[in-house]
Amino acid sequence: MGDMSTPHWRRALAQNAARVRADVSFALIDAFIIAMAYVFGLVARFAEGLDASAEWWPGLWRVLPMVVLIHLLANVIFGAYGHVWEYASVAEAMRVAFAAVAAGTVVFSTLVIARDAFNVDQPIPMGVVLTGAMFALLGMGAVRFRSRMFSLKKMSGVNAPSVRALIVGVGRPAAVLARQAPELKPVTDVVGFVTLADGTRHARRLVGLPVWSGLDLIPDLVDTYDIDQVIVATEAPDSTLRALVDACVSVDVALRIVPDLNALLTGHVAEAIRNIEVADLLPRPTVHTDLSPVADMLEGRRIMVTGAGGSIGSEIVKQCLQFAGTTVFALDNDETHLHDAMPEWMVTGRTPTPVLCDVRDASGVSNAFERYRPEVVFHAAAHKHVPILEECPEEAVKTNVTGTENVVRAARKLGVRRFVLISTDKAVDPSSVMGATKRIAEMLIQSACDGESSGGIYSAVRFGNVLGSRGSVVPTFMRQIESGGPVTVTDPRMSRYFMTIPEAVQLVLQAGAMASGGEVFVLDMGEPVKIIDLASRLIRLSGMVPGRDVDIEIVGMRPGEKLEETLSAGPLVPSAHPQINKASLGEPDKVALNHYLHLLRDLADSGERHAVAEIVHSVARSAQPIVVAESTGLRDVATWS
């Protein structure tokens, strides 16, 4: 522990030493100004002739050290040191004024008491004390505010309001941003730079502006210099951004970032800056995609995407449209979702063919496949909201199980080349009906890879939560924050994996291109995030303080939820891509699986909710013989490999 704290002590000591050196230099300048102020005060008192002031000069030289000392002590007491005066505000001006008035009052009182109480000869005229204090105030103020006054003159012709900014980083991008800041709209007045708290030594100034070391200083700097925004213009890991958000919990400041430093260096300054978003704070690796195999899979192909109106399906459509020669069919059962997604798809310069069809309709799915004859299928259609599906397990079966079966059957019949199922981490050791039905869907994909599938390659891709998806936790939290709270968290211990939608889809396409048949791929989601931490940081990114402006309320876990999700129950097998692994799963017995699919269809159609829930959990967790509960009116045993 001691070794880890040593760099902090060294950094703090170096910062304090530099601060003391700067303050001592300022104090010496102040001492000279104060001495000259009282000298000029005496000269001004006897402006009619220096001969008249001759008797007072010995007294002035005698008390001048005391006068200087009193003024310097007043400066220290009122906080007239320790500032970067180029960016001082009214508060700093008041400190200097109060210090000068207080010092003058003390000098005046001391001389009066010495004269009246102790019969000490008055060393200087009392008027000199008043004029000397006034001259000292003007001199110290001029030294401190010279750059600020010039700045105000320079900006006097600018009508647009300016914002005051602090830049995190001391590299070339940070310097470029500082130089170009006056050209931004609104005009940006850069106050200085802050280095990352890494214990390294940096120059005290950069492009003429001050440099401070350590993110922990930012809240004080924001308050002291009236900072409006903090801009990160350096390669900063997500842990640093989280530390920045946490450090700024108590101050009202906008947090911004330059995600593409190259855009900054090529002159696109305004376009390079955006607000820090929750995605920037996720502890996950940067996604790298090899487009060559993906292009080989997609270019010139007819592609069907089910659930195309949903968050994941919509992004799959968008990314597939960007490959040359693709013909994309966007299938969904909701015309509004298809209509709303169309403008985003058109941004690519192309549009997919909308297909209004429900995957639960076997004949409708078969007809769609016969009509459009897709060569590649991404099956994203699913019910996904855990608490609702706990209440309606038969609906989960109809969409997630029977719907998948319908799409797989139509694909096998047509001889689709590649088929990719979008799965979820909730399929691992499922505690919910939703997770159990998705695990059964994975089993369908595993069993689809045999000689009867006309050479098609079927695979599944499993990942956790995605940011910004319809009904996910982030939009829910944002709505609660906008309405003033409270933000509801089920359990302070609950954690989840998160990834952005575009990143997840990039890896889905990559995994689909890598598949050889029957794999359940698992994406590297980084580190899990505690939901209560996510809620706190969203509140902070909204410019508010958790517990003060917006409360966080613990409401308890809902049916089917787990405290933690895992991406695989067994060991993961590496693949050719560092961010894509394969789950170690046994292959289901096809005969037993078909039997239970038929049974689940009948029970779901008849509304046997309890029996449906019991069977989907039994099938999804099966590694042993499965016994169907007698409450269903049936009793069967099946063995899974």
Side-chain angles (χ1 to χ4, degrees), residues 79-154:
Y81 298 115
H83 302 278
V84 178
W85 293 98
E86 292 93 324
Y87 299 96
S89 60
V90 174
E92 283 69 43
M94 296 301 294
R95 293 176 190 271
V96 178
F98 285 145
V101 171
T105 302
V106 171
V107 172
F108 188 94
S109 301
T110 301
L111 295 182
V112 170
I113 292 172
R115 182 191 65 190
D116 296 345
F118 299 100
N119 295 317
V120 175
D121 292 337
Q122 183 174 315
I124 56 176
M126 290 304 176
V128 174
V129 177
L130 299 179
T131 55
M134 182 183 68
F135 286 152
L137 171 59
L138 293 175
M140 291 187 292
V143 168
R144 283 164 168 77
F145 290 91
R146 65 194 186 283
S147 297
R148 191 69 180 146
M149 289 187 290
F150 293 150
S151 176
L152 289 173
K153 288 180 182 178
K154 189 165 54 178

Side-chain angles (χ1 to χ4, degrees), residues 302-522:
R302 296 184 301 277
I303 303 164
M304 176 80 77
V305 181
T306 72
S311 305
I312 294 294
S314 176
E315 182 65 22
I316 293 175
V317 171
K318 183 178 180 180
Q319 292 195 23
C320 287
L321 286 170
Q322 296 173 12
F323 287 89
T326 55
T327 303
V328 182
F329 306 101
L331 185 149
D332 201 283
N333 70 332
D334 191 314
E335 62 170 339
T336 301
H337 289 171
L338 287 174
H339 176 270
D340 292 346
M342 196 64 72
E344 184 178 354
W345 293 332
M346 292 174 67
V347 171
T348 64
R350 304 171 58 208
T351 56
T353 300
V355 180
L356 192 60
C357 178
D358 193 333
V359 295
R360 294 156 44 139
D361 178 3
S363 61
V365 171
S366 178
N367 290 338
F369 271 68
E370 287 292 340
R371 181 179 301 113
Y372 299 110
R373 307 192 68 79
E375 300 168 274
V376 179
V377 174
F378 293 95
H379 180 44
H383 283 329
K384 62 180 182 179
H385 295 292
V386 171
I388 294 176
L389 298 184
E390 289 299 304
E391 295 295 325
C392 307
E394 74 281 7
E395 296 302 315
V397 166
K398 290 177 183 178
T399 296
N400 296 355
V401 176
T402 304
T404 300
E405 184 182 15
N406 291 338
V407 177
V408 169
R409 183 183 296 113
R412 286 163 57 92
K413 179 181 177 182
L414 186 64
V416 164
R417 297 167 59 91
R418 285 188 183 267
F419 188 109
V420 181
L421 167 73
I422 306 302
S423 189
T424 170
D425 57 359
K426 292 176 175 60
V428 182
D429 191 21
S431 61
S432 64
V433 168
M434 182 272 194
T437 55
K438 292 298 286 184
R439 175 61 193 128
I440 296 174
E442 290 180 351
M443 293 177 176
L444 273 165
I445 297 304
Q446 290 179 277
S447 67
C449 291
D450 58 25
E452 300 175 21
S453 63
S454 303
I457 296 175
Y458 291 71
S459 62
V461 182
R462 182 189 289 172
F463 53 91
N465 295 8
V466 289
L467 294 175
S469 64
R470 192 177 294 118
S472 72
V473 66
V474 172
T476 300
F477 283 170
M478 293 307 298
R479 286 194 297 270
Q480 293 174 336
I481 292 169
E482 290 170 2
S483 64
V487 174
T488 55
V489 176
T490 54
D491 192 288
R493 299 167 295 170
M494 182 169 287
S495 64
R496 290 291 183 268
Y497 291 96
F498 286 95
M499 181 175 279
T500 67
I501 295 174
E503 289 174 337
V505 170
Q506 287 178 42
L507 292 178
V508 165
L509 299 182
Q510 190 81 65
M514 292 168 46
S516 57
E519 300 97 337
V520 175
F521 292 104
V522 179

Side-chain angles (χ1 to χ4, degrees), residues 41 43 55 63 79 159 216 218 236 251 313 347 380 490 512 548 570 590 636:
V43 171
E55 63 179 294
V63 298
N159 296 322
D216 53 326
I218 288 179
V251 292
V347 171
T490 54
R548 186 192 73 186
K590 185 177 179 181
D636 289 288

